[in-house]
Amino acid sequence: MECNDGISHRQHPNIEKEDLVMNSESIDTERLLMESEKQTYTNKLSSWEMESLTALCDTLLPAVDPPESTTDESVVRFYRTSASMNGTPEHVGRMISQRLRQHVLLGRIILVLLATRLGTFVLGLLGGGLPNLSPRYPFLLKCSEMSLEKRQQLVLSWRTSWFYLVRMIFFGMKRLISVVYFTQVDDNEDYNPIWEAIGYCGPDPYFISKKASESNKQSAYLTPKSLHNQPKEDLCGPLYKGIINVKCTQEILIESLKHSNFQVSINRKKKDCQMQVITIKCDVVVVGSGSGGGVAAGVLASLGYKVLVIDKGDYYARTNLSLLEGPTLDQMYEGAGLLSTKDLGVNILAGSTVGGGSTINWSASIRTPPHVIKEWADVHELEIFDSPLYKEALDVVCEKMEVQSDIDVSDEGFNNAVLRKGCLELGYPVVNIPQNAPKNHNCGWCCLGCKDGKKKSTCETWLKDVVNSGNGAILTGCEVAKVLYGRQKGRNRDTAKGVMFDITSSNDRQSSCVIVEAKATIIACGALNTPALLRRSGLNNKNIGKNLHLHPVVMAWGYFPDSEPLSSLLSDNQGDQVWPEKQKKSYEGGIMTTMSTVVADFNDSGYGTVIQTPSLHPGLFSAMMPWTSGLNIKHRMTKFSRTSHMFALARDMGSGVISTSPFDIKYKMHPIDEANLQKGIEKMLRILAAAGAEEIGTHHYSGSSINVKKASFHEFEKFVKKESSKAIQGLSMPIASAHQMGSCRMGINPRTSVVNQRGESWEVEGLYLADSSVFPTALGVNPMVTVQAISYCTTQSVLEFLRRRKTC
């Protein structure tokens, strides 16, 4: 197990575990070491399943001949290397066996069917073809026996099948295999031989160089004394004094809590019973450490209240990050970054780490738009949003995050430079996006965690207040089972009493039930997990889990070659030279600094789309790009580093439902939302062309594109009109979501909402919700500032509640 600086017990056996205990001011480092422990998974698929899986991997990503003009050895090797030659089937098998949480049974049934001749025949029939027929006995072939050409015909038939489940097979398998193939790393966990061919450097080179240099210095002079003298924030992160990982031994867990001045008691009900009950007492328990929970915990702890923060994710400090796409998706994202709605119609990205979405978001810090505030205050009659308190909240949270909007346009990242230039050329409105990071924070890896703490996530702001106040601690790796509440004598409704969860220590395998008794309970696990927790806890409000909004996103892309056109070599015309600059890559630079509101409709209905830019490293890039053949996808991936993406984000009128699990999500897009997204596609294609892209296209499964430089005006207009009128729903193209909200909405009536204006549950007194789940409607822009502002207001209500309890 390695600490954040790369030091391990194995490397330095002369250092005992006791020597790694910081000092009397800090919590035992053992649980911090556990945060970086490598997670290994076992492949439990049968030989039949692996035979089919290998055939599918080599169908989607086969060994093919490179174009004749290719001379780069790494590119030639990339074309000639199949997925199985790279070990991808084994990696995918492990993911299916132990990491996937959705459609695992369906996937395994399909693999078994493909391992049989009859099963392959049936799946071909459902796709509308019979590619496994053979003129020789036994006349039918199973998937692994078919030629590459026939297997690709089979897979392509699934893409447009009349049977929706078969379409799900295609898009699900294509997404999973693509992500794994382009993110898997070698045994040293730092390299994938494919990356060189596609122009990808892997983790930020500066970060890796700095980390290696510091590690070498520490290794050369490492002694228990030098370890004690090293700045502890550098060693184990800014929250080192407050993190308690529940995977540590129960002895360390209890001692750490007591060391943080929590009252802890142990009760074993029976002498022969191994299950013991650990009771922790505090003023406030906060479930979730993201933008909502972090604010609430920070404010309350700073005012002297004893606060226990609980998060199911782990803590990854600055120097403990890998900045590797695959491992980070697995460690810091819900469902390993592969979460989707039940029908695979929307791919969902959500943080699942200490700091929540604020740890892995793209720094956009946009205040609640005025037209949304007006709608929430006037239409939904929520006076809080038009109050001085909410205005104060917006100012406070923006000041805390050091939000600024001074963008260095001359050194803007690849994607944002393209969006800005295209909009200026066309006369479309374009604005700077405020950032919770300094002007010089041009980092394209912040979706994998912030390497230097310059992005002011809750780990760098509010949670630091919790730890530095001495009034709180943060339990990590801990999933709350249910909220505790009961009816007190003389009351007409239930009162919150705290939360409960089970733990099993990784060392002694001892299981315990932990009860946290609190005067006030704040749930802030996000719009996916909060309603699921409330349902599991037995709350009956029919609105819990309903009205889920996802800010659906669709994308368009443009390819900008990094070689100068022939015309510029034969003339002095500087306008034809390479732009964006040759050294710029699509995955580098500030992720989201520019936005266009050309189809946002802010001044009318308020329901339109904004156009922004995404962060796409190779795994997610390949998952989004359409697949028409193994040769085509490899051709597309060789253009990865110079392919610009932008997306249209809809303020959705459609909504979804969540049950007792965040992995059981149903969502229905409203026709107006689809129409708005189509308008966004039309504008994005024009922006990309105006910015100078050589080739443009969308993610529609047909894979259509056009060479803008060679097309006539009529051909270009025809292409734009056709692509922007194509269907979006029904797995026609990938739809993504990075913002989830509204699943426990705020309102003035318990018949139509879950919480009141104070953020308190209509059903349970002293139970507060403080995250994006309480949004009355979709927001329409990035929600971090709005979440924090609402949480700040809700926290004032919690303070009033605590004061009332104190005087009772």
Side-chain angles (χ1 to χ4, degrees):
M1 294 182 291
E2 296 191 1
C3 192
N4 303 348
D5 59 354
I7 303 167
S8 72
H9 298 304
R10 293 187 297 273
Q11 293 171 330
H12 302 278
N14 59 308
I15 297 181
E16 300 296 330
K17 187 193 303 183
E18 294 79 27
D19 293 324
L20 286 174
V21 178
M22 297 287 187
N23 56 38
S24 60
E25 296 179 356
S26 65
I27 297 171
D28 193 321
T29 313
E30 180 183 5
R31 60 183 193 288
L32 291 178
L33 300 175
M34 285 183 175
E35 302 290 354
S36 55
E37 187 174 12
K38 179 183 175 182
Q39 184 68 270
T40 57
Y41 302 115
T42 303
N43 183 0
K44 298 182 180 180
L45 299 190
S46 68
S47 58
W48 280 28
E49 291 170 303
M50 284 305 298
E51 177 186 316
S52 300
L53 180 58
T54 301
L56 278 179
C57 289
D58 284 349
T59 302
L60 295 171
L61 294 159
V64 293
D65 291 329
E68 292 183 4
S69 59
T70 304
T71 57
D72 188 303
E73 289 185 9
S74 66
V75 176
V76 171
R77 190 165 52 249
F78 169 54
Y79 275 97
R80 291 178 175 169
T81 301
S82 68
S84 63
M85 292 167 67
N86 215 31
T88 301
E90 178 64 23
H91 287 274
V92 176
R94 293 172 190 167
M95 290 290 287
I96 293 173
S97 299
Q98 294 193 285
R99 200 63 183 92
L100 290 191
R101 299 286 298 274
Q102 296 175 295
H103 307 297
V104 176
L105 180 59
L106 173 63
R108 296 190 68 167
I109 289 173
I110 296 303
L111 292 177
V112 171
L113 288 174
L114 289 173
T116 68
R117 295 181 175 88
L118 182 59
T120 304
F121 174 80
V122 171
L123 288 171
L125 200 61
L126 290 173
L130 299 172
N132 75 322
L133 290 178
S134 171
R136 299 179 182 178
Y137 181 82
F139 309 116
L140 293 177
L141 302 175
K142 56 185 178 180
C143 185
S144 61
E145 295 172 338
M146 297 164 64
S147 67
L148 174 60
E149 181 183 1
K150 292 292 186 181
R151 291 201 311 271
Q152 291 196 348
Q153 288 179 17
L154 174 66
V155 168
L156 283 173
S157 73
W158 297 345
R159 189 185 65 177
T160 55
S161 172
W162 57 272
F163 192 31
Y164 192 88
L165 275 178
V166 174
R167 298 208 301 276
M168 285 176 59
I169 295 167
F170 170 79
F171 287 100
M173 284 294 185
K174 180 256 181 183
R175 183 185 180 204
L176 174 61
I177 292 169
S178 298
V179 168
V180 172
Y181 181 73
F182 288 101
T183 64
Q184 66 187 71
V185 288
D186 58 20
D187 292 338
N188 294 325
E189 291 203 331
D190 59 4
Y191 182 67
N192 184 324
I194 295 166
W195 292 344
E196 183 180 357
I198 64 175
Y200 182 61
C201 67
D204 184 349
Y206 173 77
F207 170 73
I208 296 301
S209 175
K210 180 181 177 183
K211 190 174 180 180
S213 175
E214 292 176 352
S215 180
N216 289 336
K217 289 178 183 178
Q218 291 159 351
S219 297
Y221 302 103
L222 184 63
T223 65
K225 183 177 179 180
S226 69
L227 190 60
H228 282 291
N229 292 335
Q230 185 166 342
K232 299 177 180 64
E233 185 166 319
D234 292 341
L235 182 66
C236 289
L239 305 182
Y240 76 95
K241 288 190 292 185
I243 294 290
I244 306 175
N245 192 305
V246 298
K247 300 185 187 78
C248 63
T249 64
Q250 290 186 8
E251 179 183 2
I252 291 176
L253 171 64
I254 293 168
E255 288 304 313
S256 297
L257 286 164
K258 288 181 177 179
H259 188 79
S260 297
N261 297 317
F262 286 93
Q263 295 182 41
V264 185
S265 60
I266 305 172
N267 175 35
R268 182 166 290 156
K269 295 184 178 180
K270 296 181 181 179
K271 291 183 178 179
D272 59 344
C273 179
Q274 291 300 311
M275 187 70 143
Q276 61 184 9
V277 177
I278 300 173
T279 303
I280 307 167
K281 292 187 178 182
C282 60
D283 292 320
V284 182
V285 59
V286 180
V287 184
S289 61
S291 291
V295 171
V299 171
L300 292 166
S302 296
L303 291 174
Y305 291 96
K306 205 66 187 171
V307 179
L308 184 64
V309 181
I310 301 175
D311 200 293
K312 70 174 183 177
D314 286 332
Y315 174 55
Y316 295 91
R318 304 166 189 165
T319 54
N320 198 29
L321 298 167
S322 69
L323 298 189
L324 289 164
E325 184 183 14
T328 301
L329 288 173
D330 182 46
Q331 296 164 347
M332 300 174 71
Y333 282 76
E334 191 73 72
L338 296 168
L339 179 65
S340 68
T341 52
K342 204 166 184 178
D343 62 358
L344 298 187
V346 183
N347 303 318
I348 297 172
L349 290 178
S352 183
T353 184
V354 172
S358 73
T359 298
I360 45 85
N361 71 12
W362 304 343
S363 301
S365 304
I366 304 173
R367 290 178 178 237
T368 315
H371 67 276
V372 175
I373 290 178
K374 180 175 175 58
E375 180 183 340
W376 289 356
D378 295 348
V379 178
H380 295 271
E381 301 181 62
L382 294 166
E383 298 173 358
I384 182 67
F385 292 105
D386 197 29
S387 68
L389 175 60
Y390 192 72
K391 293 181 178 66
E392 174 192 327
L394 289 171
D395 291 338
V396 168
V397 301
C398 286
E399 182 180 356
K400 187 72 171 181
M401 292 190 288
E402 302 175 22
V403 173
Q404 58 83 31
S405 56
D406 184 14
I407 308 300
D408 185 358
V409 177
S410 65
D411 191 32
E412 201 162 21
F414 186 97
N415 294 320
N416 288 278
V418 169
L419 174 57
R420 188 182 297 273
K421 181 178 181 180
C423 287
L424 292 176
E425 289 285 338
L426 295 168
Y428 293 168
V430 60
V431 297
N432 292 349
I433 296 178
Q435 309 279 295
N436 64 335
K439 179 179 178 180
N440 64 350
H441 188 251
N442 298 319
C443 177
W445 284 266
C446 262
C447 57
L448 310 177
C450 187
K451 63 182 184 291
D452 51 23
K454 290 182 179 179
K455 182 178 75 173
K456 299 303 179 183
S457 69
T458 59
C459 291
E460 303 290 340
T461 52
W462 302 101
L463 293 178
K464 283 179 70 173
D465 290 349
V466 173
V467 174
N468 294 338
S469 71
N471 294 317
I474 304 164
L475 290 184
T476 64
C478 172
E479 187 163 8
V480 171
K482 63 180 180 178
V483 178
L484 301 176
Y485 54 90
R487 187 70 56 91
Q488 294 182 348
K489 193 172 182 180
R491 300 276 186 175
N492 60 2
R493 64 172 176 155
D494 291 330
T495 301
K497 295 183 177 180
V499 298
M500 183 189 78
F501 55 90
D502 294 331
I503 58 171
T504 301
S505 63
S506 59
N507 292 355
D508 53 22
R509 309 306 300 172
Q510 187 175 3
S511 297
S512 297
C513 170
V514 180
I515 294 175
V516 181
E517 294 181 356
K519 298 171 185 175
T521 301
I522 300 175
I523 307 300
C525 347
L528 301 181
N529 286 283
T530 288
L533 174 57
L534 297 183
R535 282 291 183 208
R536 292 198 305 270
S537 303
L539 272 72
N540 296 315
N541 187 310
K542 66 178 183 179
N543 298 292
I544 295 173
K546 294 182 179 180
N547 308 301
L548 172 69
H549 298 286
L550 296 179
H551 276 177
V553 158
V554 294
M555 301 189 192
W557 58 267
Y559 173 58
F560 295 78
D562 60 2
S563 58
E564 296 184 20
L566 183 61
S567 59
S568 70
L569 300 177
L570 301 176
S571 71
D572 294 328
N573 184 357
Q574 298 299 311
D576 287 335
Q577 291 186 3
V578 173
W579 188 89
E581 294 82 352
K582 187 173 182 178
Q583 72 274 14
K584 285 193 174 183
K585 307 295 182 185
S586 62
Y587 54 89
E588 295 177 334
I591 295 173
M592 183 181 281
T593 56
T594 306
M595 176 174 74
S596 177
T597 58
V598 63
V599 282
D601 207 23
F602 282 173
N603 297 323
D604 192 3
S605 70
Y607 285 84
T609 63
V610 294
I611 297 175
Q612 299 176 328
T613 60
S615 173
L616 291 177
H617 289 257
L620 294 181
F621 179 102
S622 65
M624 299 296 287
M625 292 300 285
W627 187 94
T628 57
S629 71
L631 177 62
N632 179 266
I633 192 62
K634 290 201 170 185
H635 181 60
R636 288 285 169 215
M637 290 306 297
T638 60
K639 298 181 177 182
F640 159 74
S641 67
R642 296 288 294 184
T643 298
S644 172
H645 270 86
M646 55 188 65
F647 63 80
L649 179 153
R651 185 186 180 203
D652 48 330
M653 300 180 73
S655 63
V657 178
I658 301 175
S659 67
T660 57
S661 167
F663 299 97
D664 186 10
I665 306 166
K666 297 176 183 177
Y667 180 81
K668 184 172 178 59
M669 183 182 289
H670 195 283
I672 291 178
D673 299 332
E674 184 169 24
N676 285 335
L677 289 171
Q678 289 171 328
K679 292 177 185 177
I681 289 174
E682 185 249 332
K683 296 299 184 185
M684 290 189 293
L685 291 172
R686 295 187 184 281
I687 291 169
L688 288 161
E694 178 183 279
E695 184 184 12
I696 60 173
T698 69
H699 289 157
H700 190 270
Y701 69 75
S702 62
S704 300
S705 65
I706 188 171
N707 189 311
V708 181
K709 305 297 184 184
K710 297 179 180 179
S712 66
F713 174 79
H714 174 73
E715 289 170 331
F716 173 76
E717 288 296 322
K718 183 179 179 181
F719 175 82
V720 171
K721 184 176 181 180
K722 181 178 180 181
E723 292 303 305
S724 60
S725 63
K726 287 181 177 178
I728 290 174
Q729 300 186 70
L731 299 179
S732 296
M733 66 174 64
I735 302 172
S737 165
H739 310 147
Q740 302 85 43
M741 67 213 82
S743 53
C744 293
R745 69 181 177 188
M746 181 182 289
I748 60 170
N749 191 323
R751 288 179 295 181
T752 58
S753 60
V754 178
V755 297
N756 58 28
Q757 295 191 68
R758 298 187 301 277
E760 187 178 30
S761 163
W762 291 110
E763 288 183 82
V764 180
E765 184 182 18
L767 174 63
Y768 294 84
L769 308 189
D771 55 29
S772 62
S773 71
V774 304
F775 284 18
T777 67
L779 181 66
V781 295
N782 309 69
M784 178 169 62
V785 170
T786 300
V787 174
Q788 293 202 12
I790 291 175
S791 179
Y792 181 86
C793 295
T794 297
T795 304
Q796 309 311 307
S797 300
V798 176
L799 284 168
E800 287 183 25
F801 176 79
L802 291 170
R803 292 176 187 132
R804 288 201 309 270
R805 284 201 57 166
K806 192 173 182 180
T807 58
C808 288

